[in-house]
Every structure is written in C-alpha cells, then in structure tokens.
C-alpha cells in the first residue's frame, strides 16, 4: 500500500523534473489549472454515469455537476493569473512559454468535452437537441484550432529549433472571450435552456477561435518561409 501511495505521489510530483521553487511558481499555477480542469471533466463523467444508472438527473448528480463547473471556473482563474505571476516575479522562461500553451489546450479540451456531456444529458431529458449541436460545433472548432496550431508549431521547430513565433493578440483575445463564454454555456444548457442565447455564444466562440487559428497559421507560415529564404540565400 505504501509503495502504491509513493508511486501515485511520484506521478503527481517529481521534484527532479519540476522543482517546487519560486522560479517555477507560474508553472505550478498553470499545472494546478490543468489538474482542476481535468478533475472537473471527471465530475461530468460521474454525472453521466449517475444519469445512466438512475435514468434521471438526481440531486446528487446536480451537486456533482455544479462542483465540476466550479472546478472549471477555478481552472480558468489559474490560467488568468499564471502569466501575471511570471511577469510580476520576473520568472518568465523558455520552458514556461512552451509549457503554458499546452496546458491551455488541456483546459479547452476538458471544458468542451464537459460541455458536450452536459448538453447530451440535457437533450435526453427533454431540452432542445440544438444545444447539443451547438456544443459539438464549439468542441470541433476548439480542437481543430489547437491541433492545427500544434502541427504548425512542430513544423516551425523542424525548420529551425530556435524559431519563435510570439504570442498573438488573437490568442489572448480568444482566452479572454472564449473561456467565460464556454463557462456561461453551462448555464445556457441548465437552467436557462435558451437555444437563441446558445447560438449567439456559439457564433462568438466559433468566430474568435477561427480567427485565432488563421492568425497563428499565417504567422507560423510566414516565419517558416522566411527561414527557408534565409537558408537559401546563405548557400
């Protein structure tokens, strides 16, 4: 039992990989946000399981749902302050620049997956299936954007390991608008069940996310082409 506990603790915290220190304060805030978001998604899996077993949404299931949403809100708060802490303590690092965007993706994926579960249960309980369609659209554009950016990021590193594409204003705009909009969508699903409000949020999230994807892809491709031209000129 003790060996198992040590194994779990080592999985959660490896002091040799990411020492618990002032220099890693912002990284640990980012990591905390990712963990809170993942546990929040786990709450929605439990919510779905209880619904499947009981055949209806019980009081316990609603409490677990509310707890999951609360974890998502706390996770978003962590994402909002990690960069501020890094700048305030002057501990901005190359590792953090790479680490933070990937944890942001984890937050987005967990939230939109929770959103789909919530919308599916609402639809099965009699709410409009349009809410589920809206959640699916939000999930698709979110993951399409993140996968596309990840591909171009790896492509740029392949061209030049030292290539750096600075964070785009569109990325920050996306976080400022889409995180609150996604969290608000949980209220649209239950208790509001407002299809019109849902479509408005879907349009906003889709538009901002699609523009952010285009902006980053364009920036990466410009940087890649510039590197290639410079390499050819030096030959």
């Amino acid at each position: 039992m003790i060996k198992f506990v040590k194994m779990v603790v080592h999985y959660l915290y490896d002091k040799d990989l990411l020492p618990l220190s002032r220099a890693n304060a912002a990284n640990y805030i980012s990591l905390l946000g990712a963990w809170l978001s993942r546990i929040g998604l786990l709450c929605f899996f439990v919510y779905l399981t209880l619904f499947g077993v009981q055949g209806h949404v019980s009081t316990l299931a609603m409490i677990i749902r509310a707890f999951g949403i609360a974890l998502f809100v706390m996770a978003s708060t962590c994402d909002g302050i990690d960069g501020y802490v890094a700048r305030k303590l002057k501990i901005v690092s190359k590792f953090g620049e790479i680490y933070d965007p990937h944890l942001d993706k984890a937050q987005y994926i967990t939230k939109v997956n929770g959103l789909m579960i919530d919308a599916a249960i609402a639809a099965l309980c009699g709410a409009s299936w349009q809410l589920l369609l809206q959640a699916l659209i939000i999930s698709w554009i979110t993951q399409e954007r993140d996968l596309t950016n990840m591909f171009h990021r790896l492509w740029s590193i392949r061209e030049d390991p030292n290539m750096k594409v600075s964070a785009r204003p569109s990325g920050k705009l996306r976080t400022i608008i889409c995180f609150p909009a996604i969290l608000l969508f949980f209220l649209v699903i239950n208790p509001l069940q407002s299809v019109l409000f849902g479509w408005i949020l879907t349009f906003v999230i889709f538009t901002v996310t699609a523009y952010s994807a285009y902006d980053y892809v364009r920036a990466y491709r410009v940087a890649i082409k510039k590197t290639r031209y410079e390499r050819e000129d030096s030959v």
Side-chain angles (χ1 to χ4, degrees):
M1 183 62 182
I2 295 177
K3 185 177 180 180
F4 175 75
V5 172
K6 287 183 177 180
M7 182 182 69
V8 172
V9 171
H10 184 72
Y11 172 75
L12 297 175
Y13 171 61
D14 189 332
K15 61 182 179 63
D16 296 324
L17 291 178
L18 194 65
L20 189 60
S21 64
R22 180 180 181 276
N24 283 317
N27 292 328
Y28 268 100
I29 293 174
S30 299
L31 184 61
L32 175 61
W35 271 105
L36 289 173
S37 198
R38 289 156 70 182
I39 296 172
L41 178 58
L42 181 61
C43 288
F44 277 90
F45 284 138
V46 175
Y47 177 47
L48 177 61
T49 301
L50 288 175
F51 174 74
V53 171
Q54 299 172 342
H56 67 280
V57 178
S58 63
T59 301
L60 175 60
M62 287 301 294
I63 291 174
I64 292 174
R65 175 185 183 269
F67 185 62
I69 295 173
L71 289 174
F72 284 157
V73 172
M74 288 188 286
S76 297
T77 302
C78 289
D79 183 74
I81 66 174
D82 56 0
Y84 171 78
V85 170
R87 291 187 295 272
K88 192 70 174 179
L89 298 180
K90 298 180 180 179
I91 53 175
V92 177
S93 64
K94 181 68 175 178
F95 176 75
E97 291 177 359
I98 299 174
Y99 187 60
D100 183 64
H102 282 79
L103 291 184
D104 286 350
K105 291 177 177 59
Q107 285 221 37
Y108 271 108
I109 289 172
T110 52
K111 286 180 176 65
V112 297
N113 284 339
L115 201 65
M116 287 192 296
I117 292 173
D118 202 27
I121 293 175
L124 291 171
C125 289
S128 173
W129 281 88
Q130 291 186 56
L131 294 173
L132 178 57
L133 176 60
Q134 293 160 7
L136 289 170
I137 291 173
I138 293 171
S139 176
W140 172 76
I141 192 61
T142 297
Q143 298 184 66
E144 178 69 19
R145 184 264 186 193
D146 289 341
L147 289 172
T148 300
N149 281 10
M150 187 181 299
F151 168 78
H152 281 82
R153 188 183 187 92
L154 293 173
W155 187 4
S156 67
I157 293 174
R158 176 179 176 272
E159 293 292 328
D160 180 3
N162 296 317
M163 185 185 298
K164 179 181 177 181
V165 174
S166 301
R168 311 293 296 173
S170 63
K172 295 179 181 178
L173 180 67
R174 179 205 182 204
T175 298
I176 292 172
I177 293 177
C178 292
F179 265 4
I182 289 173
L183 293 173
L184 185 58
F185 209 102
F186 285 102
L187 298 181
V188 170
I189 294 172
N190 190 351
L192 298 179
Q193 294 190 3
S194 173
V195 173
L196 176 59
F197 195 14
W199 280 119
I200 293 173
L201 286 178
T202 302
F203 174 78
V204 171
I205 294 170
F206 185 94
T207 302
V208 173
T209 303
Y211 173 70
S212 176
Y214 164 77
D215 191 30
Y216 270 94
V217 167
R218 182 174 57 84
Y220 275 118
R221 293 188 178 184
V222 167
I224 291 169
K225 289 177 182 178
K226 181 180 178 181
T227 300
R228 288 186 176 181
Y229 292 150
E230 291 175 348
R231 187 186 303 136
E232 290 172 359
D233 290 341
S234 64
V235 174

